[in-house]
Amino acid sequence: MMRNYLQLGCFLTLMIAVVVSVVTSLPTWFGGHLGGYRLIVHMMASGVVVILLPMYTVLRWGESLRNQIGTSLEPIAFWTMVVFGFLTIGSMFICMLPIAGTGTQREMIDLHGWLGAVLAIAVVLNLVLYRKRIAAS
């Protein structure tokens, strides 16, 4: 029972952090720049994602593998969120290492944006499927 509440709290907080990350990055989708307070808020939300994504994955892993509750789309949505979440985190991590040149860093930042967009879609899909599962029970 407590695990379910912890799982729900992790997911809801993770979802809010992803929404904040998407909202703060919206101007960059149209050629804008991510800087100032928007960058600070984006980085704070990213820190939440970096901490809660592994935690939520561990809390949900056993359930996801054992109980294929709901539709067959639910495990796919979960693993898509996990994989693209870690890829989004990793793409920015590579930019922070002193191994990539300016061109590579720019490419990784673009990749980070696309991976983050897929992560956001996967989070929304997980929310929709979670609500369906709760409504069905």
Side-chain angles (χ1 to χ4, degrees):
M1 185 69 160
M2 182 64 174
R3 180 184 176 125
N4 291 339
Y5 288 123
L6 187 57
Q7 196 178 75
L8 178 62
C10 277
F11 178 68
L12 292 177
T13 308
L14 182 65
M15 184 183 63
I16 291 167
V18 169
V19 167
V20 169
S21 295
V22 168
V23 168
T24 56
S25 70
L26 277 177
T28 63
W29 294 10
F30 306 103
H33 177 71
L34 182 58
Y37 289 112
R38 275 189 309 114
L39 178 59
I40 292 170
V41 172
H42 187 83
M43 294 300 294
M44 289 184 342
S46 299
V48 171
V49 172
V50 167
I51 292 168
L52 287 185
L53 182 65
M55 182 187 287
Y56 181 68
T57 302
V58 168
L59 287 170
R60 191 63 212 282
W61 188 313
E63 174 191 335
S64 178
L65 292 176
R66 270 181 293 176
N67 306 329
Q68 301 299 324
I69 300 171
T71 68
S72 61
L73 190 57
E74 195 169 353
I76 294 169
F78 170 71
W79 287 111
T80 300
M81 181 180 72
V82 170
V83 168
F84 278 89
F86 282 110
L87 288 173
T88 303
I89 293 165
S91 63
M92 194 46 58
F93 178 71
I94 289 172
C95 285
M96 295 178 189
L97 297 175
I99 57 174
T102 303
T104 304
Q105 286 180 337
R106 288 181 185 268
E107 289 174 9
M108 293 306 293
I109 289 170
D110 287 342
L111 180 62
H112 175 75
W114 287 107
L115 292 169
V118 175
L119 169 62
I121 292 167
V123 167
V124 170
L125 184 58
N126 273 279
L127 175 66
V128 168
L129 294 172
Y130 181 78
R131 288 182 54 147
K132 271 188 178 178
R133 183 168 32 122
I134 296 301
S137 59

